[in-house]
Each structure stands twice: as structure tokens, then as C-alpha cells.
Amino acid sequence: VQLQASGGGLVQPGGSLRLSCAASGRIFSINAMNWYRQAPENQRELVAGFTSGGSANYADSVKGRFTISGDYAKNTVYLQMNSLKPEDTAVYYCHARVRSYSWSLLEYNYWGQGTLVTVSS
């Protein structure tokens, strides 16, 4: 399974970006897709998560500014980021919990390569 993330870039404070992450490969079902981020010298943190049932959860630091959505028919998740702040600067990673076979309940975690978001004037 491969995750391809895109949409990062340089944006001014107060601006917006939309990240996308598409999963491909041996996928029977995706039970959750999440966005994490890691700033220099910081640990990787969960930014937002989206379950196959349509539930979303957010880190307190991004509530009201970021919106996660998904299209599991396309194995794709999006992160709309508005009102960006310099402290949102980080490498953003897509994560998916995938069940690969109909005959197995095992789920595996996969990560994308990361996309850099820089918020600066």
C-alpha cells in the first residue's frame, strides 16, 4: 500500500492550503485516515483523523481552522487548512489504517512521504 500526499507549500499567515492523500495498492478497506505533523525538534503529533464511518477528530490547536474529509470510494483524504499560523509550519504526514484482505481482519499502518507546509510572511 502506498500513500501519496500533496498540496504543501509556502503560504502567508492567515492563508489557506488543501492537502490531499491518496492510497493505492492492495486495499480491501480503509478504517481510518489521519494527518500528522512534525515540526523541527518536535515530536510527531496527530492533527486530524477521519474514520470510515465519517467521524472526524482534531487536535485542539487546529479546531475551527482545519477540516478533514474523505472519499473512501477513492481511498483519498483531504485536509483543508484555513487561517494558517506560523506555528502550523511542519512536515505533514498522511497515515492510513488498512485492511488488505477480505479473509483477514488484520489491519496495518501505512505512512506517506510527508509534505512540507511553511507559514511565513
Side-chain angles (χ1 to χ4, degrees), residues 18 25-26 33 38 53 66 68 70 95 99 119:
R18 188 190 195 211
R26 188 173 294 279
M33 294 188 80
Q38 187 168 17
F66 291 10
I68 189 170
H95 164 267
R99 180 180 165 191
V119 184

Side-chain angles (χ1 to χ4, degrees), residues 58-74:
Y58 300 92
D60 288 342
S61 59
V62 306
K63 282 180 181 178
R65 300 187 298 120
F66 291 10
T67 302
I68 189 170
S69 60
D71 183 345
Y72 280 104
K74 297 180 180 179

Side-chain angles (χ1 to χ4, degrees), residues 32-80:
M33 294 188 80
N34 308 296
W35 287 99
Y36 287 76
R37 68 185 180 187
Q38 187 168 17
E41 301 182 358
N42 285 1
Q43 291 187 335
R44 191 172 295 189
E45 63 174 352
L46 177 65
V47 176
F50 187 78
T51 70
S52 58
S55 299
N57 60 281
Y58 300 92
D60 288 342
S61 59
V62 306
K63 282 180 181 178
R65 300 187 298 120
F66 291 10
T67 302
I68 189 170
S69 60
D71 183 345
Y72 280 104
K74 297 180 180 179
N75 294 331
T76 301
V77 68
Y78 308 96
L79 185 67
Q80 178 66 42

Side-chain angles (χ1 to χ4, degrees), residues 87-108:
E87 51 264 43
D88 294 318
T89 295
V91 177
Y92 284 71
Y93 295 92
C94 176
H95 164 267
R97 194 166 75 244
V98 176
R99 180 180 165 191
S100 289
Y101 304 97
S102 60
W103 45 263
S104 174
L105 296 178
L106 290 176
E107 299 176 355
Y108 296 91

